[in-house]
Amino acid sequence: MNNSALFLILQKMRAPFLVLIVTYTIAIIGLVSIDGIDNEGNPYRMTIFDAFYFISYTATTIGFGETPYTFSYQQRIWVSMIIYLTVIGWFYSIGSLISLIQDKVFRKEIAKSRFIRQIRHLDEHFFIILGYNATTKKIIEKSLKKGFRVVVIEKNEEKVSELHLQSYTPVVHVLQADIHDPNAIEAAGIKSPYCKGLVSLFEDDSLNLRIAITTKIINPDVPLAIKSTTKNLTENLKDVGVEIIENPFDIISNQIDLSLNSPSIHQLAKWIFNLDTLEKQSLKLPRGKYIVCGYGRMGKEIYKVLEKNNIEASFIEIDPAKISKSNTHDIVIADADDKDILIGQGIRGASVIIAGTNNDTTNLSLLATAKKLNPDILTIARENELENYSIFQYSNIDYLFMPSRILIHKTINALVNPMSDRFLDLMKKETEHAAAELIEKLLQKIGGEPKTYELKIDERSAFAIVTSLHEEKTVTLKHLLLKREDNTAENAAMVLLLQRGSTLTLLPSEDTKLEVGDQLLLAADEEAINDIEYIAQNIIELAYVTNHFQPVEAAHP
């Protein structure tokens, strides 16, 4: 039990303890002071122990009778008075104890003490997630699926209860505490060697920055995934040393840019983030006129992208407070769901309409209106609530941007599969033709839904390979791609990225020799991943695919 819980016990039970001590003292002094008569008629006085023993079972209403001898009338008169006094004292103490047990602060401290013990004994890799909502709920589920434990800090008692009702397996440890309190983050295990990251995706940018600063002071080495919605905050987070900065609106604007210029790279990004398959044809945005409804954080990022690509665009915003004086000539202050406003902005001749407001009902309504006015227009919507996803799916919208879903997959990828992010960064520097060729190779070799798999050449993940390298045997990337049952055939797998030290090699040659410490990103199907894991860990399997020994064929009779 921690000091806070002990202090509460001492504070709440001080008066009841004193009442018991005083009542017992008065009762015992009276009994040892009054003369009694033993069985032979001789006068005697009770010892302190006899008096305490008698009061103990009398005050608690057990009642074993008069001891050690039958009481005199003087003793019985005294007992008749003190029995009420001591019983009342016990009732008062028991009532105070029950009140203490029901006290929310005490129960919270007990829960915190239990939580700290659980974290202290947690010897598996885990993430700390701040806040519990629809977005972080999905991150928790995906983290558990990837084999990581999760620790949550949430202030709201109802949300804590909701998390407990989910019955996650393995158990998700949760601490009800204020996120602003650095002690809560420390209690969650930020200093633990098993802590592999902290996630803070609050809408409040200042809170996210404060958490980043606090966490880096407590443990500078732990990776952080922090949400940012402004360029200024992003720069501040970089200065603090935050490894993963997630601006969903910046990601959306980049996706629009890729859809305009490099749709194949955009398709690779959606596949990496588990938002789509490689089979689905990537969206190629036209370069006609755009009507953008909403000029909030997302609208401002879209404005920059369209301006960079020299695309004609009209912006409609109902809230004048969101519009800076320098941009008033590009933006109409009006209700985008108004038919006349859309007609006035040229909806009938527009190529694309983007519903980017923070209200899902408004986005659905204005797109339905736009489609009636221009059936050929390409529709893009922003979906704000994960619960509304099914509604948008059945609304015949050409493309859907979901900031929450983007945050979920971006966070998991960055923490669990960091090589994927590095792969995408390199691919964005490649040509559209190179990306299209890569997609074609993946489709031909693996299929439309390949999975990504990361492997580090160390004793924990690739014991057999490390052992062979120490014995100065050669192991290449191609050896990893061979089938276990036939070392002349390749699995449905491809190496996308090799990291050796700080050097990144995109689509390395299969003849590349492996070295201890190499990190690999592969695309493969389930069977290939299973084979790769066996080959990396099992010395016999590795020896077979590398031809360091040949299996002996059974002799024919």
Side-chain angles (χ1 to χ4, degrees):
M1 187 179 299
N2 61 12
N3 292 333
S4 298
L6 181 60
F7 174 76
L8 279 172
I9 292 174
L10 294 176
Q11 183 186 50
K12 297 284 186 179
M13 296 302 296
R14 179 174 53 187
F17 285 153
L18 289 174
V19 168
L20 281 179
I21 291 170
V22 170
T23 54
Y24 266 57
T25 301
I26 293 172
I28 291 170
I29 289 174
L31 285 176
V32 299
S33 301
I34 299 172
D35 289 334
I37 299 174
D38 63 17
N39 293 335
E40 297 177 358
N42 299 317
Y44 86 97
R45 286 189 177 182
M46 296 178 73
T47 64
I48 292 177
F49 174 76
D50 287 337
F52 175 77
Y53 175 63
F54 174 78
I55 291 299
S56 294
Y57 66 69
T58 301
T60 54
T61 69
I62 296 172
F64 282 152
E66 298 172 352
T67 186
Y69 306 110
T70 303
F71 284 178
S72 65
Y73 279 104
Q74 292 89 340
Q75 288 175 311
R76 289 174 178 171
I77 291 172
W78 177 249
V79 170
S80 298
M81 291 187 294
I82 64 169
I83 193 170
Y84 295 104
L85 180 65
T86 53
V87 168
I88 290 172
W90 266 109
F91 281 168
Y92 170 62
S93 300
I94 293 171
S96 299
L97 180 61
I98 293 172
S99 176
L100 173 64
I101 293 172
Q102 294 177 334
D103 185 271
K104 285 187 176 181
V105 176
F106 178 73
R107 293 170 66 181
K108 186 177 177 181
E109 289 299 327
I110 292 294
K112 182 179 178 181
S113 177
R114 183 170 59 249
F115 172 84
I116 291 173
R117 286 198 304 272
Q118 291 169 338
I119 300 303
R120 190 180 297 127
H121 294 96
L122 185 59
D123 56 359
E124 300 175 66
H125 292 164
F126 66 90
F127 298 130
I128 299 174
I129 298 178
L130 306 185
Y132 183 70
N133 51 43
T135 301
T136 55
K137 179 182 177 181
K138 294 292 184 182
I139 293 175
I140 291 170
E141 292 170 356
K142 289 183 177 296
S143 298
L144 294 175
K145 190 175 180 181
K146 294 284 186 178
F148 287 82
R149 299 293 298 273
V150 176
V151 176
V152 176
I153 303 177
E154 172 56 57
K155 183 178 181 181
N156 187 288
E157 186 176 359
E158 291 182 1
K159 290 184 178 181
V160 170
S161 299
E162 181 185 342
L163 190 152
H164 284 308
L165 289 174
Q166 294 298 321
S167 300
Y168 289 113
T169 304
V171 174
V172 172
H173 300 300
V174 56
L175 173 65
Q176 184 185 348
D178 190 348
I179 303 297
H180 293 82
D181 183 7
N183 294 322
I185 296 176
E186 190 168 351
I190 197 67
K191 291 183 177 180
S192 169
Y194 296 102
C195 180
K196 297 303 174 183
L198 178 142
V199 178
S200 176
L201 305 178
F202 295 107
E203 290 295 325
D204 186 346
D205 282 349
S206 60
L207 176 57
N208 287 330
L209 179 59
R210 174 173 176 167
I211 289 168
I213 294 172
T214 302
T215 305
K216 282 300 182 182
I217 290 173
I218 298 174
N219 186 356
D221 298 324
V222 69
L224 303 184
I226 307 293
K227 180 180 178 180
S228 168
T229 59
T230 64
K231 184 178 180 180
N232 184 49
L233 177 62
T234 298
E235 293 300 322
N236 290 337
L237 291 173
K238 287 180 180 177
D239 293 340
V240 171
V242 174
E243 293 82 358
I244 307 161
I245 303 172
E246 302 173 357
N247 185 336
F249 306 112
D250 184 50
I251 295 171
I252 289 172
S253 66
N254 285 333
Q255 289 181 351
I256 292 175
D257 193 24
L258 288 173
S259 296
L260 284 165
N261 302 298
S262 304
S264 295
I265 297 176
H266 182 214
Q267 192 62 27
L268 283 171
K270 289 194 295 180
W271 164 63
I272 286 290
F273 290 146
N274 295 312
L275 296 172
D276 216 333
T277 67
L278 287 176
E279 290 176 317
K280 188 172 180 180
Q281 186 66 32
S282 181
L283 176 68
K284 172 68 174 176
L285 290 178
R287 288 183 171 270
K289 180 175 180 177
Y290 281 57
I291 295 178
V292 183
C293 305
Y295 193 71
R297 293 171 296 181
M298 177 174 163
K300 289 180 174 65
E301 295 298 328
I302 293 174
Y303 178 89
K304 296 174 185 176
V305 170
L306 297 180
E307 186 179 45
K308 183 186 94 171
N309 286 277
N310 297 315
I311 291 177
E312 180 188 359
S314 294
F315 285 77
I316 306 172
E317 173 56 56
I318 195 171
D319 184 4
K322 294 181 179 179
I323 304 169
S324 63
K325 293 180 180 179
S326 59
N327 285 335
T328 53
H329 62 284
D330 297 315
I331 303 162
V332 175
I333 301 174
D335 184 359
D337 200 16
D338 189 320
K339 177 181 177 181
D340 294 331
I341 296 297
L342 290 175
I343 292 173
Q345 294 304 305
I347 187 69
R348 289 193 170 97
S351 300
V352 179
I353 182 168
I354 301 176
T357 75
N358 57 8
N359 186 296
D360 287 340
T361 304
T362 300
N363 291 339
L364 287 169
S365 176
L366 68 87
L367 288 182
T369 303
K371 205 71 175 173
K372 285 183 179 180
L373 296 172
N374 182 356
D376 298 325
I377 198 168
L378 190 145
T379 54
I380 299 175
R382 167 184 171 183
E383 183 270 325
N384 297 281
E385 301 295 333
L386 285 172
E387 291 80 2
N388 296 329
Y389 181 47
S390 59
I391 301 174
F392 280 88
Q393 275 186 311
Y394 295 108
S395 298
N396 294 321
I397 295 169
D398 296 304
Y399 197 80
L400 192 60
F401 286 120
M402 293 173 286
S404 297
R405 197 172 174 211
I406 289 170
L407 277 178
I408 292 167
H409 293 288
K410 171 72 173 174
T411 301
I412 290 299
N413 247 35
L415 289 174
V416 179
N417 303 314
M419 293 284 285
S420 298
D421 271 6
R422 296 165 196 156
F423 166 72
L424 279 179
D425 288 340
L426 291 178
M427 281 305 304
K428 287 176 183 178
K429 299 175 183 178
E430 296 294 312
T431 63
E432 167 65 12
H433 178 70
E437 277 192 343
L438 175 58
I439 291 177
E440 186 63 28
K441 287 179 182 178
L442 289 168
L443 289 172
Q444 289 178 357
K445 190 167 187 180
I446 306 171
E449 299 184 32
K451 300 184 181 299
T452 56
Y453 174 69
E454 293 190 13
L455 176 66
K456 185 172 183 179
I457 309 302
D458 59 13
E459 289 192 355
R460 183 173 180 270
S461 303
F463 174 78
I465 295 176
V466 171
T467 302
S468 292
L469 293 176
H470 286 330
E471 294 173 356
E472 298 185 355
K473 295 177 181 177
T474 299
V475 182
T476 66
L477 291 177
K478 186 172 183 177
H479 292 142
L480 273 180
L481 306 181
L482 297 176
K483 290 179 176 287
R484 287 191 296 142
E485 67 273 13
D486 181 4
N487 65 358
T488 64
E490 282 196 9
N491 266 310
M494 183 184 297
V495 181
L496 301 177
L497 183 66
L498 165 65
Q499 179 172 348
R500 181 168 292 166
S502 58
T503 303
L504 296 171
T505 304
L506 185 65
L507 304 175
S509 167
E510 292 184 357
D511 295 327
T512 302
K513 296 178 181 179
L514 288 173
E515 295 182 7
V516 176
D518 284 351
Q519 296 182 68
L520 306 174
L521 173 67
L522 301 101
D525 61 16
E526 290 286 359
E527 182 182 352
I529 292 174
N530 189 51
D531 277 3
I532 291 167
E533 289 178 342
Y534 268 100
I535 291 168
Q537 292 279 24
N538 190 293
I539 293 175
I540 296 175
E541 300 285 1
L542 178 62
Y544 172 60
V545 297
T546 55
N547 287 314
H548 291 150
F549 80 89
Q550 293 292 341
V552 178
E553 295 183 3
H556 293 287

